[in-house]
Amino acid sequence: MKAGNPEIAHTSTSLAALFLAAVLLGSPAQGATYEVGSGLSLETIGDVPWESLAAGDLVLINWRSDPYNEKFVICAAGTESEPIVIRGVPGPGGELPVIDGRDATTRSELNFWNEARGLVKIGGSNTPSDCHPEWIVVENLDVRSARPPYSFTGRSGLEDYARNAASIYIEDGDHIIIRNLIIHDSGNGIFGSSAASDVLIEGCHIYDNGIEDRIYEHNNYTEVNGIVFQYNRFGPLRAGCLGNNLKDRSAGTVIRYNWIEDGNRQLDLVESDHDEMVALSSYATTFVYGNVLIEHDGEGNSQIVHYGGDGGDEAYYRKGTLHFFNNTLISTRSGNTTLMRLSTSDESADVRNNILLVTEDGSRLAMSNENGTMDLMNNWTKPGWVDSHGTLAGSVNDGGGAVTGSSPGFVDETGGDYHLEATSDCIHAGADLAASVLPDHSLLQQYVVHRGTEPRPVDGALDLGAFETCTTGDCTGSGDEVVEPAPELPPDATTDPSTDPLVDPSADALDDPAADPGADPDDGDESSGCGCSLVS
């Protein structure tokens, strides 16, 4: 995805079909434009009249050399044809405008609760009073540093961020797009609650979040009705942080065409504790495909994916099927690697057309931790893998089509190019996709390093893994989206506690209560539900 070009085509998913032309390519069709930047009439983000945004409005935040140390709430309703768009305008080298939570201030006209929980907040306010945002796009920004020991000035004066504060906090809202953001150095990177629906997270770089010595904060923590993650780069958490990379409790979860690296687990797909969410038919079916999953030696849990639940009340567990296909896994652990933990006998996984590479001996790879039913078909592995490294209470069923060898035949395994050489045994070795994933989850795209996408070539039978190799030289992809990768920008050292004079590294050594409110994605400190009637 090209950071210098904010006009990005949309996904071809059924969820994203809701986001039509006005959301796809540019400015809203009508409405006011508020342009923020040095030398303009609106020099600060706080100069924007956020309390009066309306359908079709466009907020342009121009890059400047200094960050915007400001925070705000978006609580207004756009429409399908006239969304409300918050857009960063990149600098001359593709640099995204920075919104930094350290010492941030808020426009005095705004009044919203859970200030300590987020830097850019969607939904949940007293002023403006409309508390159900719809058709919101936030794109092309670097949003960082909402966590202890940092503080901000809010409606009650100086206040510290909560440990589970997020760069992007979606408390409420429908039809929300988070696109081409750099999200880092917060407790949670993205946080989404059960009052939100139809959320698209696209083309973002999400990394270096979490709180030291705590398991409760993650690069992503969401619990919404309908969510798609695509074309994102999920990097490791902050050093010493024990959370997961992508943790999700949503219904209708789709995770496709992403690069996901490390974390306690790369994917932690567990239960909602909301009856209305659990009752949705989409709650029991999850789709994970076309991703690159990387596990480095010395990372936390040896399990790559967890599917089911973690709260102990199995009545709320997912009790459904995880469709896990055409992913590429690379684990360099010196010990054991387990592909998947299914929480109970009621969870199952259809695992097909994947490349599952451990750099150690093949016996170091186990398919299942203990429970559930796993059906395998046409996966590449080293020989010698085992059903489980422990006691298998469930079942691992081999449906045939397995491909084994010492190497899957990557173009450059050491250099991280996991496309297949033309001589790879993984080419044309895939099985047909399960009928239950079609047509909505056909393999139409593939990831482009980093944060880009291109149509996946159509060249006979499917290749294994996340990337298709065109062997004929004339392969037409069936996808309709080309997004160039984001430019590689110089690393920013300002969020490194060892070099940043604003950071006291010892200040994160906080007591950890046995029952931590940060473990609940729907937790709020001042309201339940929308809370529009709250005035303080």
Side-chain angles (χ1 to χ4, degrees):
M1 183 175 295
K2 189 175 291 181
N5 178 7
E7 300 196 353
I8 302 166
H10 77 126
T11 171
S12 55
T13 68
S14 56
L15 179 148
L18 298 172
F19 306 149
L20 295 179
V23 179
L24 308 184
L25 293 176
S27 302
Q30 299 177 7
T33 296
Y34 303 98
E35 189 161 6
V36 178
S38 300
L40 300 176
S41 59
L42 305 178
E43 292 218 4
T44 70
I45 291 173
D47 290 334
V48 174
W50 297 97
E51 66 279 3
S52 58
L53 288 185
D57 285 355
L58 171 65
V59 179
L60 295 175
I61 302 173
N62 284 272
W63 176 84
R64 66 185 192 187
S65 56
D66 294 327
Y68 295 91
N69 296 93
E70 302 181 68
K71 62 200 304 289
F72 56 93
V73 66
I74 306 164
C75 203
T79 68
E80 190 169 15
S81 61
E82 297 183 354
I84 295 170
V85 178
I86 316 303
R87 175 179 299 151
V89 179
E95 310 94 333
L96 297 184
V98 174
I99 299 178
D100 192 319
R102 292 175 290 184
D103 300 321
T105 60
T106 301
R107 176 178 171 87
S108 61
E109 288 84 352
L110 295 177
N111 185 304
F112 56 96
W113 55 85
N114 281 338
E115 288 182 285
R117 292 284 303 276
L119 183 52
V120 175
K121 185 170 184 273
I122 300 176
S125 69
N126 298 309
T127 305
S129 60
D130 180 7
C131 64
H132 191 70
E134 293 185 297
W135 305 104
I136 306 294
V137 180
V138 182
E139 60 186 6
N140 302 348
L141 295 166
D142 181 330
V143 188
R144 64 174 71 167
S145 303
R147 63 172 177 88
Y150 307 139
S151 60
F152 63 94
T153 300
R155 59 181 179 168
S156 301
L158 190 65
E159 185 175 351
D160 291 335
Y161 287 99
R163 290 177 293 192
N164 58 356
S167 286
I168 302 294
Y169 179 22
I170 307 171
E171 181 166 316
D172 189 12
D174 298 335
H175 319 304
I176 309 296
I177 294 179
I178 306 299
R179 174 193 285 146
N180 191 29
L181 301 189
I182 301 174
I183 297 172
H184 57 125
D185 194 40
S186 292
N188 291 297
I190 298 175
F191 187 98
S193 82
S194 62
S197 66
D198 286 344
V199 175
L200 174 63
I201 311 295
E202 177 177 76
C204 297
H205 188 189
I206 308 170
Y207 70 104
D208 272 359
N209 298 291
I211 299 296
E212 290 90 337
D213 301 320
R214 284 173 55 84
I215 64 174
Y216 299 112
E217 290 80 33
H218 319 280
N219 272 337
N220 178 90
Y221 198 4
T222 42
E223 182 179 22
V224 308
N225 178 11
I227 190 164
V228 173
F229 301 88
Q230 62 181 15
Y231 321 146
N232 301 291
R233 181 185 185 185
F234 288 87
L237 278 70
R238 294 176 56 239
C241 299
L242 307 179
N244 296 293
N245 206 322
L246 195 167
K247 188 177 184 82
D248 181 73
R249 301 179 183 272
S250 302
T253 302
V254 179
I255 302 167
R256 62 187 195 175
Y257 318 132
N258 302 281
W259 182 286
I260 306 174
E261 192 170 343
D262 296 336
N264 181 51
R265 295 186 183 92
Q266 283 72 7
L267 300 175
D268 198 39
L269 311 175
V270 289
E271 85 282 20
S272 171
D273 61 358
H274 293 272
D275 291 331
E276 66 277 12
M277 190 82 74
V278 175
L280 296 169
S281 59
S282 58
Y283 179 70
T285 310
T286 301
F287 301 92
V288 176
Y289 56 94
N291 302 286
V292 176
L293 305 171
I294 297 177
E295 172 82 355
H296 287 118
D297 192 26
E299 284 300 309
N301 201 304
S302 63
Q303 301 160 9
I304 306 302
V305 181
H306 178 202
Y307 177 72
D310 62 3
D313 188 346
E314 295 181 4
Y316 287 88
Y317 283 19
R318 289 187 178 259
K319 298 182 181 294
T321 301
L322 170 60
H323 292 278
F324 187 89
F325 58 94
N326 285 94
N327 300 287
T328 295
L329 165 67
I330 299 94
S331 173
T332 61
R333 293 184 74 94
S334 57
N336 293 336
T337 298
T338 297
L339 174 62
M340 200 171 293
R341 174 188 173 189
L342 303 175
S343 295
T344 73
S345 60
D346 293 318
E347 278 79 41
S348 64
D350 183 319
V351 179
R352 67 177 71 194
N353 297 351
N354 302 287
I355 294 175
L356 308 174
L357 172 65
V358 294
T359 54
E360 292 294 315
D361 184 79
S363 63
R364 288 293 192 174
L365 173 65
M367 294 297 172
S368 176
N369 181 56
E370 180 180 5
N371 295 308
T373 300
M374 183 180 292
D375 294 317
L376 307 178
M377 185 179 295
N378 295 67
N379 298 291
W380 184 94
T381 63
K382 287 183 175 180
W385 61 268
V386 297
D387 289 345
S388 173
H389 291 307
T391 301
L392 184 67
S395 61
V396 176
N397 306 313
D398 189 351
V403 180
T404 59
S406 60
S407 169
F410 293 136
V411 168
D412 184 1
E413 181 178 329
T414 302
D417 186 346
Y418 303 122
H419 292 79
L420 299 173
E421 295 181 325
T423 56
S424 169
D425 290 339
C426 297
I427 290 179
H428 301 331
D432 291 340
L433 301 184
S436 55
V437 311
L438 301 173
D440 288 345
H441 302 286
S442 301
L443 285 164
L444 301 180
Q445 301 289 138
Q446 59 189 22
Y447 186 79
V448 174
V449 174
H450 274 297
R451 298 161 52 211
T453 186
E454 64 186 7
R456 183 169 176 131
V458 175
D459 187 29
L462 286 171
D463 296 349
L464 304 184
F467 302 104
E468 191 81 15
T469 295
C470 179
T471 58
T472 64
D474 184 20
C475 304
T476 301
S478 44
D480 62 359
E481 188 165 5
V482 176
V483 178
E484 296 183 26
E488 290 297 322
L489 300 176
D492 187 325
T494 62
T495 60
D496 181 353
S498 66
T499 61
D500 190 343
L502 294 177
V503 178
D504 175 6
S506 66
D508 278 334
L510 303 172
D511 293 335
D512 188 6
D516 188 273
D520 182 0
D522 202 43
D523 177 67
D525 60 10
E526 295 187 51
S527 68
S528 60
C530 183
C532 287
S533 62
L534 290 181
V535 179
S536 60

